């Protein structure tokens, strides 16, 4: 029965879509009806929709017939006019101008009342006595060249083809577009030629109309056509007015009816998922619900039972399930965008650590490391504040795809702009221009001769600049070398820190799910391997910054593998460094087989112990009693364990981590590369556009330079660079961070909700 209701709802949805299409074709807009509408149930609505659909179909059929008749009469009128001109000129008639017709007629009816006159014209006339006959008609302009060529070949050139453009375009009932047509007259001789020409006209879709040679008869036929056109115009106008009035009336209730049918169909679709218990004569449904909503669901079920006066109560019972539950996170307008970024990669498994919690901070910060300019950050902040301030207004409007995406990530943009301002203050860049916000520079010239040499002759005369990069580095000869070294090492430090965070989260996942093997044979060796190499590199970077040493870290890391027992010499940063390097290298080498071998063999041993002694089942006298044995008595069958598959999977995982540790660390260098590109682009636009234009005394040149600078800043730095930095930060989170702990093999919790229904449903 519920399946029948679903089919009825689907049929009503089809009828409502048909009505909606008719309203849009008529150029009308469905609008909300009056405030108080009479209640209507599903059965009454079904009857009304059937009546409305039948009425619209009947009106459409009548309108199409009238429109077709109108087109034929309009074509007949133009053929009479244009073909009459040909005949009059050929017959030396002098009254051509008397056959002129009114060009403002729009509608028509049939021309069956002229049958007597038309039948007379089909009789042999004077032209037939001389052997010359003609056929007149109208054809689409796009077909006329092929049409004329076919006539010429068929008659072997024994014909005369005259054509002229019709003054009025004709409405094509199939495509509902205005089509330009050509009026033609074909002069020929012989009955066989007439038959062939008529067949060609039929094949090309040309409409042929009889035109009398006598001027008096043409005038009489013209008056009859005009009379029928006038009558048909009035009829079509009245029919169109009646149809629009009916569609307008339906448009008032269309939205309400569509919502009603959509909700009813969704309810019965959900009821179809329930099972019918024949013995207890009740419906049994299984589903998932959040723990915090359990009491609310029970209250709603009890309220529904009392409202429906049901004699049978609803039983709400918790049950165990072998299936993994769906994943559900309560989000708000601030956290929803970050959760969507994570879900685009994959939905978290139930009770798995959610990367979106950490992405709220790490994602905008990594973006800001590539976009560090507090002038550009202020521009992004202004845009984010405008979107947040107009949140309610924009949320109720239908936005375009780009604007909708921008509005959905307004809080992501807000945090990205704040972190960009912070990193811009550290880099000391305001549209690539350094500033002295936190005091004057720690360097000054030794004498007047160093004013143009910038870094040559500068001496440190006070304490280090309190926050960020000293403004004296900007424009100096060693600017790129200093900033590149700084940003490259910062990228490695933050990259190693985020990868360590990912491995630590894998420990919490394994501990929560009770998987001790993953802790012992994945978490521990992964931490040892990563930090023995790149954790050690991060330590060297910090020690070098703190001590001011001139040690070459490239040399240290390369010869740690090539010559681990060789003395470091001037590249030594602290005592015992050589011994520590050898120890860390041995630990890294031990960690690789530690990840690879133990876990597959332990899994195989556990599987063997679990099913040892269960290989043989109960002895039976015959196989016919298998079905009579209770389920509780049957012994579980051993699960299939493919050791080679498990070993290969573990080997792939180990190799991926070892190689990924190197490639992922190198991948974080994109933070340095994009930051350098953003800074250099800003410098080029400032130095080569704005300052260059400002060097001229002309106001026009300065204004043009300012416009070019503003355009480049807005479209290249604020749009393209923002998108580029966003995508690279997304890559770092999806690949370098999340692959350390995130399985992403869950599925979303999608509760039944009327608000989630859309037009497609």
């Amino acid at each position: 029965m519920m399946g029948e209701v679903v089919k009825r709802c689907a049929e009503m949805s089809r009828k409502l879509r048909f009505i909606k299409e008719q309203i849009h074709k008529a150029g009308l807009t469905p609008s909300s009806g009056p405030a108080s509408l009479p209640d209507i149930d599903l059965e009454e609505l079904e009857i009304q929709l059937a009546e409305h659909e039948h009425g619209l179909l009947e009106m459409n059929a009548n309108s199409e017939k009238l429109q077709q008749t109108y087109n034929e009469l309009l074509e007949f009128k133009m053929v009479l006019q244009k073909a009459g001109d040909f005949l009059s000129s050929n017959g030396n008639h002098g009254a051509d101008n008397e056959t002129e017709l009114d060009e403002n007629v729009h509608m028509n009816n049939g021309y069956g009342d002229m049958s007597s006159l038309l039948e007379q014209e089909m009789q042999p006339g004077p032209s037939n006595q001389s052997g010359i006959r003609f056929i007149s008609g109208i054809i689409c302009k796009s077909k006329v060249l092929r049409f004329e060529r076919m006539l010429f070949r068929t008659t072997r050139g024994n014909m005369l083809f005259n054509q002229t453009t019709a003054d009025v375009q004709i409405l094509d009932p199939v495509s509902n577009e205005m089509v330009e047509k050509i009026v033609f007259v074909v002069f020929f001789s012989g009955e066989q030629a007439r038959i062939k020409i008529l067949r060609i006209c039929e094949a090309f879709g040309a409409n042929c109309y009889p035109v009398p040679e006598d001027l008096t008869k043409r005038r009489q036929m013209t008056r009859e056509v005009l009379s029928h056109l006038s009558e048909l115009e009035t009829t079509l106008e009245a029919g169109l007015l009646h149809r629009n009035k009916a569609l307008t009336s339906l448009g008032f209730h269309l939205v309400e009816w569509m919502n009603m049918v959509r909700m009813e169909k969704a309810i019965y679709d959900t009821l179809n998922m329930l099972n019918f218990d024949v013995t207890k004569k009740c419906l049994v449904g299984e589903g998932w619900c959040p723990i915090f909503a359990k009491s609310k669901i029970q209250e709603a079920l009890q309220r529904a039972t009392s409202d429906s006066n049901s004699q049978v109560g609803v039983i709400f019972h918790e049950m165990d399930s072998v299936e993994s539950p769906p994943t559900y996170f309560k989000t708000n307008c601030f956290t929803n965008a970050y959760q969507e970024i994570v879900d685009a990669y994959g939905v978290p498994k139930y009770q798995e650590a959610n990367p979106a919690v950490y992405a709220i901070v790490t994602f905008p910060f990594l973006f800001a490391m590539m976009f560090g300019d507090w002038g550009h950050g202020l521009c992004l902040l202004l845009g984010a504040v405008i979107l947040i301030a107009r949140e309610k207004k924009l949320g109720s409007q239908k936005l375009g795809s780009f604007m909708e995406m921008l509005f959905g990530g307004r809080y992501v943009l807000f945090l990205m702009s704040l972190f960009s301002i912070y990193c811009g203050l550290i880099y000391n860049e305001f549209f690539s221009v350094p500033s002295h916000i936190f005091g004057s520079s720690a360097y000054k010239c030794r004498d007047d001769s160093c004013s143009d040499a910038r870094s040559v002759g500068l001496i440190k005369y006070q304490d280090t600049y309190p926050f960020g990069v000293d403004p004296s580095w900007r424009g100096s000869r060693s600017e790129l070398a200093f900033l590149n070294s700084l940003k490259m090492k910062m990228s490695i430090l933050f990259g190693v820190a985020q990868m360590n965070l990912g491995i630590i989260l894998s420990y919490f996942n394994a501990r929560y799910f009770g998987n001790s093997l993953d802790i012992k044979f994945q978490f521990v060796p992964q931490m040892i391997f990563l930090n023995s190499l790149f954790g050690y590199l991060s330590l060297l970077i910090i020690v070098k910054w703190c001590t001011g040493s001139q040690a070459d870290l490239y040399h240290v890391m390369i010869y740690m593998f090539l010559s681990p027992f060789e003395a470091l010499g001037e590249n030594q940063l602290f005592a015992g460094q050589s011994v520590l390097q050898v120890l860390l290298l041995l630990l890294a080498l031990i960690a690789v087989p530690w990840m690879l071998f133990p876990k597959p063999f332990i899994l195989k041993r556990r599987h063997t112990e679990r099913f040892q002694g269960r290989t043989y089942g109960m002895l039976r006298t015959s196989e016919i009693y298998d079905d009579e044995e209770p389920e509780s008595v049957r012994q579980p069958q051993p699960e299939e364990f493919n050791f080679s598959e498990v070993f290969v999977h573990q080997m792939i995982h180990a190799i991926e981590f070892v190689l990924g540790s190197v490639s992922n660390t190198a991948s974080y260098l994109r933070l340095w590369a994009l930051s350098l590109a953003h800074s250099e682009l800003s410098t080029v636009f400032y130095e080569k556009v704005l300052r260059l234009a400002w060097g001229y005394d002309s106001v026009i040149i300065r204004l043009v330079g300012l416009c070019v600078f503003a355009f480049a800043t807005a479209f290249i730095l604020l749009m393209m660079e923002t998108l580029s930095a966003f995508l690279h930060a997304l890559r770092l989170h999806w690949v370098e961070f999340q692959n350390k702990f995130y399985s992403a093999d869950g599925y979303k919790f999608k509760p039944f909700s009327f608000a989630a229904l859309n037009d497609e449903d």
Side-chain angles (χ1 to χ4, degrees):
M1 180 178 178
M2 286 184 288
E4 184 65 27
V5 177
V6 172
K7 291 181 181 179
R8 290 166 56 192
C9 290
E11 181 64 17
M12 285 189 285
S13 297
R14 183 195 62 79
K15 294 175 181 178
L16 287 169
R17 288 195 300 270
F18 170 74
I19 294 174
K20 185 177 180 180
E21 291 173 0
Q22 296 299 313
I23 291 175
H24 286 307
K25 283 183 179 180
L28 305 175
T29 304
S31 56
S32 58
S36 59
L37 291 173
D39 294 333
I40 182 173
D41 57 16
L42 200 64
E43 287 75 13
E44 294 178 0
L45 179 60
E46 186 177 14
I47 296 172
Q48 289 189 17
L49 290 179
E51 294 176 353
H52 293 317
E53 183 189 29
H54 178 73
L56 286 175
L57 289 174
E58 189 174 350
M59 283 189 285
N60 289 344
N62 293 334
S63 177
E64 288 176 3
K65 290 179 181 178
L66 292 175
Q67 186 65 44
Q68 184 179 1
T69 306
Y70 170 78
N71 289 342
E72 292 176 354
L73 281 176
L74 196 58
E75 290 177 352
F76 197 9
K77 180 199 74 170
M78 289 185 287
V79 170
L80 283 172
Q81 179 186 8
K82 301 297 181 181
D85 294 341
F86 290 135
L87 296 176
S88 298
S89 60
N90 291 335
N92 296 323
H93 293 292
D96 292 344
N97 296 330
E98 298 179 8
T99 62
E100 217 157 319
L101 304 175
D102 184 9
E103 300 293 334
N104 298 321
V105 179
H106 297 285
M107 313 180 111
N108 65 4
N109 202 337
Y111 48 93
D113 296 341
M114 298 178 289
S115 58
S116 59
L117 180 59
L118 298 180
E119 289 174 359
Q120 295 175 13
E121 288 304 317
M122 296 304 293
Q123 301 298 326
S127 61
N128 294 331
Q129 297 175 0
S130 61
I132 301 300
R133 308 171 69 179
F134 70 90
I135 293 176
S136 58
I138 192 168
I139 189 173
C140 292
K141 187 176 182 180
S142 59
K143 301 179 181 179
V144 68
L145 292 177
R146 293 182 287 118
F147 178 66
E148 182 180 3
R149 190 180 301 116
M150 182 62 70
L151 290 175
F152 184 84
R153 291 175 179 175
T154 304
T155 60
R156 298 183 180 181
N158 296 318
M159 64 93 188
L160 177 63
F161 186 83
N162 289 330
Q163 61 171 325
T164 184
T165 305
D167 296 333
V168 181
Q169 293 183 341
I170 306 297
L171 179 66
D172 187 1
V174 178
S175 62
N176 201 27
E177 296 179 354
M178 302 301 293
V179 179
E180 190 174 358
K181 294 201 172 186
I182 299 293
V183 177
F184 66 89
V185 177
V186 183
F187 295 93
F188 60 92
S189 176
E191 181 63 20
Q192 292 297 327
R194 186 183 73 85
I195 295 174
K196 291 179 180 179
I197 292 173
L198 288 176
R199 288 178 179 175
I200 294 173
C201 291
E202 182 180 359
F204 277 84
N207 298 326
C208 298
Y209 297 97
V211 177
E213 296 184 46
D214 185 66
L215 180 59
T216 304
K217 292 181 179 180
R218 282 206 305 272
R219 290 176 179 175
Q220 180 183 354
M221 191 172 291
T222 299
R223 286 192 295 268
E224 292 176 357
V225 169
L226 287 174
S227 175
H228 282 77
L229 280 173
S230 178
E231 294 174 1
L232 189 58
E233 180 181 1
T234 305
T235 305
L236 277 174
E237 286 181 353
L240 183 62
L241 184 63
H242 174 69
R243 184 172 179 273
N244 288 344
K245 186 176 180 181
L247 290 174
T248 304
S249 177
L250 292 175
F252 284 126
H253 311 286
L254 183 64
V255 177
E256 180 195 10
W257 288 346
M258 293 183 72
N259 290 334
M260 177 182 174
V261 173
R262 194 180 300 123
M263 289 189 292
E264 289 288 338
K265 185 175 182 295
I267 291 172
Y268 283 101
D269 277 334
T270 306
L271 289 176
N272 277 338
M273 300 179 186
L274 275 62
N275 298 321
F276 182 70
D277 193 332
V278 181
T279 57
K280 299 178 182 179
K281 295 183 179 180
C282 63
L283 293 174
V284 180
E286 298 178 2
W288 300 101
C289 75
I291 296 176
F292 67 86
K294 179 182 174 183
S295 59
K296 296 180 180 179
I297 294 174
Q298 289 177 332
E299 293 176 2
L301 291 174
Q302 293 175 0
R303 188 167 59 251
T305 303
S306 60
D307 292 345
S308 60
N309 297 322
S310 175
Q311 298 178 357
V312 181
V314 178
I315 301 175
F316 186 86
H317 175 67
E318 291 186 32
M319 58 183 297
D320 298 328
S321 175
V322 294
E323 297 180 7
S324 177
T327 304
Y328 173 67
F329 295 109
K330 292 184 67 176
T331 58
N332 51 33
C333 58
F334 181 81
T335 59
N336 182 66
Y338 296 97
Q339 189 63 55
E340 290 296 327
I341 289 175
V342 172
D343 290 345
Y345 177 82
V347 179
K349 186 172 63 176
Y350 183 66
Q351 299 289 358
E352 183 182 19
N354 185 13
V357 178
Y358 309 93
I360 293 175
V361 175
T362 59
F363 185 86
F365 183 76
L366 292 184
F367 168 87
M369 289 184 66
M370 297 178 277
F371 197 78
D373 188 302
W374 65 278
H376 298 152
L378 286 175
C379 296
L380 292 183
L381 179 63
L382 179 62
V385 168
I386 292 175
L387 290 175
I388 294 173
R390 305 182 63 185
E391 187 176 70
K392 294 183 178 179
K393 182 179 180 181
L394 294 175
S396 60
Q397 297 178 357
K398 189 173 182 180
L399 307 174
S401 58
F402 175 77
M403 193 63 190
E404 185 177 0
M405 179 182 64
L406 196 64
F407 176 72
R410 58 195 180 280
Y411 288 103
V412 179
L413 186 65
F414 178 72
L415 280 188
M416 289 193 306
S417 62
L418 291 181
F419 280 106
S420 296
I421 294 173
Y422 172 75
C423 289
L425 291 174
I426 291 180
Y427 298 157
N428 201 354
E429 292 185 13
F430 178 81
F431 296 101
S432 77
V433 180
S435 57
H436 297 75
I437 297 178
F438 301 100
S440 58
S441 173
Y443 301 91
K444 68 176 181 179
C445 290
R446 182 183 297 108
D447 49 44
D448 296 338
S449 62
C450 74
S451 58
D452 296 331
R454 306 304 296 268
S455 61
V456 178
L458 291 177
I459 60 172
K460 188 174 182 179
Y461 74 98
Q462 63 178 14
D463 292 337
T464 305
Y465 194 68
F467 187 85
V469 176
D470 194 295
S472 294
W473 286 107
R474 177 65 62 181
S476 65
R477 296 179 181 179
S478 56
E479 175 190 3
L480 278 180
F482 171 75
L483 292 180
N484 282 347
S485 176
L486 172 68
K487 294 179 180 180
M488 184 190 304
K489 292 171 182 175
M490 285 176 57
S491 301
I492 293 175
L493 289 177
F494 284 106
V496 173
Q498 190 175 34
M499 287 190 291
N500 272 288
L501 174 62
I503 298 175
I504 292 172
L505 290 177
S506 71
Y507 163 76
F508 287 105
N509 277 338
R511 192 183 73 171
Y512 181 83
F513 292 111
N515 195 340
S516 59
L517 286 181
D518 285 348
I519 296 177
K520 296 177 182 178
F521 303 108
Q522 282 189 193
F523 166 70
V524 174
Q526 286 179 1
M527 288 292 291
I528 292 175
F529 182 85
L530 180 66
N531 291 290
S532 295
L533 301 180
F534 301 104
Y536 174 64
L537 174 61
S538 302
L539 176 65
L540 294 181
I541 291 173
I542 295 174
V543 172
K544 182 178 179 180
W545 279 350
C546 295
T547 60
S549 172
Q550 299 297 318
D552 187 359
L553 299 186
Y554 295 107
H555 182 277
V556 173
M557 292 303 297
I558 291 173
Y559 282 91
M560 177 180 175
F561 295 94
L562 298 180
S563 302
F565 300 102
E566 183 180 340
L568 295 174
E570 61 182 8
N571 291 319
Q572 183 170 339
L573 291 170
F574 53 88
Q577 183 180 352
S578 299
V579 178
L580 179 62
Q581 285 189 175
V582 174
L583 179 62
L584 292 177
L585 186 59
L586 290 175
L587 287 175
L589 293 176
I590 294 172
V592 177
W594 191 350
M595 282 186 285
L596 177 58
F597 294 108
K599 185 176 178 180
F601 288 98
I602 294 175
L603 289 175
K604 182 181 180 181
R605 181 173 57 82
R606 286 184 178 181
H607 179 270
T608 305
E609 292 175 353
R610 184 182 307 163
F611 292 97
Q612 187 175 7
R614 299 183 182 180
T615 307
Y616 300 99
M618 296 173 58
L619 294 177
R620 304 179 179 86
T621 57
S622 175
E623 296 180 357
I624 62 175
Y625 298 102
D626 288 354
D627 296 336
E628 299 177 3
E629 183 182 1
E631 289 286 339
S632 59
V633 180
R634 295 182 182 178
Q635 298 292 331
Q637 297 297 320
E639 299 176 5
E640 183 180 359
F641 183 82
N642 192 333
F643 175 77
S644 60
E645 182 179 347
V646 174
F647 186 81
V648 169
H649 179 271
Q650 187 65 22
M651 181 174 63
I652 293 174
H653 183 78
I655 295 174
E656 181 185 9
F657 179 81
V658 172
L659 298 180
S661 299
V662 181
S663 63
N664 292 349
T665 305
S667 181
Y668 276 95
L669 293 177
R670 70 183 69 234
L671 299 174
W672 154 58
L674 266 77
S675 175
L676 175 65
H678 184 84
S679 177
E680 292 302 310
L681 275 176
S682 301
T683 303
V684 167
F685 292 140
Y686 175 73
E687 296 285 345
K688 303 301 181 183
V689 176
L690 188 61
R691 288 192 62 181
L692 187 64
W694 228 251
Y696 293 89
D697 294 333
S698 174
V699 178
I700 297 178
I701 295 178
R702 290 185 176 184
L703 186 61
V704 170
L706 183 62
C707 292
V708 173
F709 176 76
F711 178 84
T713 301
F715 288 95
I716 297 179
L717 296 177
L718 293 181
M719 291 184 65
M720 295 178 60
E721 284 287 310
T722 299
L723 180 60
S724 175
F726 179 90
L727 294 177
H728 283 282
L730 192 64
R731 144 80 197 223
L732 291 175
H733 278 78
W734 279 0
V735 179
E736 278 69 26
F737 173 55
Q738 292 180 183
N739 70 352
K740 302 294 185 297
F741 69 98
Y742 190 46
S743 61
D745 56 355
Y747 61 100
K748 276 188 177 182
F749 173 64
K750 296 181 179 180
F752 177 80
S753 173
F754 288 133
L757 298 176
N758 50 35
D759 293 339
E760 287 74 13
D761 294 338

